[in-house]
Amino acid sequence: MFNSLSDRLTATFKNLRGRGRLSEADIDATVREIRRALLDADVAVPVVRHFTAAVRERALGAEVSGALNPAQQVVKIVNDELVTILGGSTRPLQLAKNPPTVIMLAGLQGAGKTTLAGKLALALKEQGHTPILVAADLQRPNAVTQLSVVADRAGVPVFAPHPGNTSDHDVADAALVGDPVGVARDGVAEARSKQHDVVIVDTAGRLGVDQVLMQQAADIRSAITPDEVLFVIDAMIGQDAVTTARSFAEGVDFTGVVLSKLDGDARGGAALSVAQVTGRPIMFASTGEKLTDFEVFHPDRMASRILDMGDVLTLIEQAEKAFDADEAEKMAAKVAQGEDFTLSDFLSQMQQMKKLGSMKKMLGMMPGMAQMRDQIENFDEREVDRVQALIQSMTPAERENPKIINGSRRARIARGAGQTTAAVNGLLDRFTQAQKMMRQMSQGGGMPGMPGGVPGMPGMPGGGKKSRGKQQPKKKVKGKSGNPAKRAQQEREAMQRALGGGAKKSAPAGSAFGVSGGDDQQSGKDLENLQLPGDLGKLLGGGR
């Protein structure tokens, strides 16, 4: 969502690089560009003024003028101020000392409250809680049915004693759709009797802020006395986000904010203003349509994403949830023992990576990915499925030893996966790169350079070849002779090149990396007079 803002800020900071000192004019120009970027991103004007004033004041102070790298210090200041307007620190849920913890969801219709109820319930369930959903939105058509479906997908119970509005349009008469306040109150009582430790109450919304909506939300709050009131706001609604947030803060007095639809492509900067304008922290973020596309909102990590510094901590946390520890240990042991990386291992690694979710989102959390955004956006997520189909079309023997895959086998594999032989060839080429990398790691060589194209493990779709340019021809290495006398002569010549010829040609006289001064004859005399240890002298002497 914040791609445009990120690109503008990154371009602004590039103009500061390499400068040993920043003048007041440089800082003013930078602050001016930051102001334009924030306004273009729909950040509220009062927030922009406060933000740029704070950045300018700190940038003109001693922390920049005395810094060794003023440009990096300005980036740090902008990062700190972004963290401030986003809430400062992570705010967790406040659980009740005496269960159940009651969480009420409020917001406009279409903001994503019902789906968010399922996401929050699933996240709490994974943490060991026993949540229950309460269908108190009796106004929106089929809202109760939708909540029941979401609860079923999340694997949590739902309390829905009334079907609510089942017509195709909103019903103004509350008597025809039931009493949402009574449903909310009964839902909390149901949770207490069945020993659920968390109750999530889904309430009704409207297309716009009105008195009926606020009164109903206030009545539900009074009836159930929630521990948390979460205001769900659509991050794509623009400047109206600030007005709506203020209205709910006055009418319902929410305790935290949830940003939904952060995966959209709107400017979304108004969402950055909510915490500053209302004084309430942003607690969660909804980043997709799946129930697992839900995360705790960390202001410092979001600021890092906006400034193209990545979000490695979130990436690690997701990897810890998705990856199988036993499989990881087996793979590590295999690498340590120097065993070859097979296509079966490759398939297992790909299946583990698929559990992380979208490859685009995962790559977007890595630092410096803004400059490769076009390549990441053009990455086809289905390519992973195609590679998986190709490997699954192979026999176990072919996966363990790809060298046996000849032309006829490649054609059979391609037919089995519904693809072309060229796709099989491309997969085997990428796998060869991955196998070389794993061999080098097992020998202690570390991680080699990644291939061009979309970054990732060699062999992964989109990795490409190591270089798109012309490959340098490999130099032929002459082997040692089998004749002992001739081999001794080769070794003497190699020693002479190492001590004299080769080093002297590449280093000036008197340098630390060559023979000091003299011509080739002098070098030869020096070599003759060189006193070598007995064993080495016999070796170089050959048959003499």
Side-chain angles (χ1 to χ4, degrees), residues 273-481:
S273 313
V274 173
Q276 185 82 1
V277 170
T278 64
R280 306 295 192 276
I282 302 174
M283 297 175 58
F284 300 102
S286 177
T287 58
E289 297 179 359
K290 297 180 180 179
L291 292 183
T292 53
D293 294 334
F294 177 77
E295 59 189 50
V296 176
F297 188 86
H298 299 278
D300 53 341
R301 300 184 190 181
M302 182 56 68
S304 294
R305 292 189 200 182
I306 293 174
L307 295 180
D308 193 30
M309 298 177 185
D311 187 0
V312 178
L313 289 178
T314 299
L315 186 59
I316 292 173
E317 289 175 359
Q318 292 182 0
E320 288 176 344
K321 293 179 182 178
F323 279 85
D324 187 342
D326 293 336
E327 287 293 330
E329 288 181 4
K330 289 179 182 178
M331 194 65 225
K334 193 168 188 177
V335 172
Q337 294 170 6
E339 297 181 22
D340 253 347
F341 185 64
T342 67
L343 279 165
S344 297
D345 299 325
F346 188 39
L347 177 61
S348 175
Q349 295 298 309
M350 287 188 60
Q351 290 172 339
Q352 293 281 335
M353 292 191 70
K354 281 185 68 177
K355 295 179 182 178
L356 285 173
S358 170
M359 289 285 292
K360 293 180 181 179
K361 291 182 181 178
M362 183 179 68
L363 293 172
M365 292 182 187
M366 299 178 69
M369 288 296 103
Q371 57 187 344
M372 304 185 69
R373 184 167 292 129
D374 291 339
Q375 292 172 277
I376 294 175
E377 289 300 324
N378 292 330
F379 176 76
D380 188 358
E381 300 276 1
R382 295 172 297 178
E383 184 66 19
V384 178
D385 296 326
R386 297 189 188 104
V387 172
Q388 183 173 330
L390 285 172
I391 299 177
Q392 290 176 335
S393 296
M394 301 176 184
T395 65
E398 291 168 344
R399 296 181 196 177
E400 295 298 318
N401 184 18
K403 292 182 180 179
I404 67 174
I405 303 179
N406 54 21
S408 60
R409 288 175 182 262
R410 294 178 189 228
R412 190 207 76 241
I413 293 169
R415 287 195 303 271
Q419 300 184 52
T420 62
T421 307
V424 180
N425 296 336
L427 168 62
L428 294 177
D429 290 341
R430 294 196 296 269
F431 170 73
T432 301
Q433 295 177 27
Q435 199 174 46
K436 289 179 180 178
M437 183 192 77
M438 300 303 287
R439 285 173 182 167
Q440 181 171 340
M441 290 177 63
S442 67
Q443 296 169 2
M447 184 74 74
M450 289 299 180
V454 176
M457 184 177 118
M460 283 300 296
K465 295 186 177 180
K466 290 186 178 179
S467 174
R468 297 187 183 277
K470 185 177 180 181
Q471 297 286 338
Q472 294 293 331
K474 293 183 178 180
K475 294 182 180 180
K476 293 184 178 180
V477 180
K478 188 175 181 180
K480 292 184 179 180
S481 172

Side-chain angles (χ1 to χ4, degrees), residues 168-183:
D168 295 334
H169 55 84
D170 289 340
V171 177
D173 190 356
L176 298 177
V177 296
D179 179 17
V181 178
V183 170

